[in-house]
Amino acid sequence: MYNKLKHIEGVNLLPKEVVGPALVGSVEYFNGEKSTYHGSLVATTHRLFMNLEDNDLVCVEEISFDNITRITVEELLMVGHILHIWQDDKLLISIKSISEGKLEKFLEFYYKYKAQHAADTASAEALA
């Protein structure tokens, strides 16, 4: 199941969209109420995907870069790193039990392509 969580199956990628690093761990998903799943976050050059394992099935949900206003990382002694994804003041997702090396790669990839996405969006709006 670990390998299935690292990939996004059944998703149609956009032209020139590339799949980047994935974080696998314990995902806390805040949609009305908090739910915890074994899952992952998979970064692409255009968006993020959240994979959640539920009864040996993997459910995939897209998260637009436009919906993410902030990412924070918390380090707890007994838990390790926890990545929090925010939309304004609302916590959308937390993922914990992830390895440090993968976290750094994931964040570098995310910040690079989030900035590129913001620049492309600004250019498109200026032309309109």
Side-chain angles (χ1 to χ4, degrees):
M1 188 55 74
Y2 179 81
N3 283 334
K4 274 191 163 186
L5 289 172
K6 288 180 14 179
H7 303 286
I8 44 176
E9 295 181 13
V11 172
N12 292 326
L13 296 176
L14 302 170
K16 298 184 181 181
E17 184 174 21
V18 177
V19 177
L23 297 176
V24 178
S26 178
V27 177
E28 292 179 348
Y29 179 48
F30 302 89
N31 188 11
E33 60 183 58
K34 180 175 100 172
S35 301
T36 304
Y37 299 92
H38 183 67
S40 67
L41 291 175
V42 181
T44 74
T45 52
H46 290 77
R47 52 203 165 157
L48 291 181
F49 289 92
M50 178 175 58
N51 294 333
L52 301 174
E53 180 185 347
D54 192 19
N55 296 325
D56 292 330
L57 294 173
V58 176
C59 304
V60 180
E61 184 170 328
E62 177 184 337
I63 305 164
S64 170
F65 282 164
D66 295 331
N67 291 338
I68 301 170
T69 55
R70 176 170 50 123
I71 289 185
T72 58
V73 178
E74 181 179 9
E75 186 173 348
L76 299 177
L77 185 60
M78 299 298 283
V79 177
H81 292 93
I82 303 173
L83 178 88
H84 303 289
I85 297 179
W86 302 81
Q87 182 177 19
D88 300 321
D89 290 334
K90 179 184 173 194
L91 182 59
L92 298 175
I93 302 163
S94 292
I95 184 168
K96 59 186 174 184
S97 303
I98 51 180
S99 65
E100 186 173 340
K102 290 183 181 183
L103 178 60
E104 289 175 17
K105 276 184 163 180
F106 180 88
L107 289 173
E108 285 176 18
F109 186 93
Y110 167 77
Y111 287 129
K112 176 181 179 180
Y113 290 104
K114 166 84 171 169
Q116 187 175 24
H117 174 77
D120 291 347
T121 301
S123 295
E125 289 174 358
L127 294 175

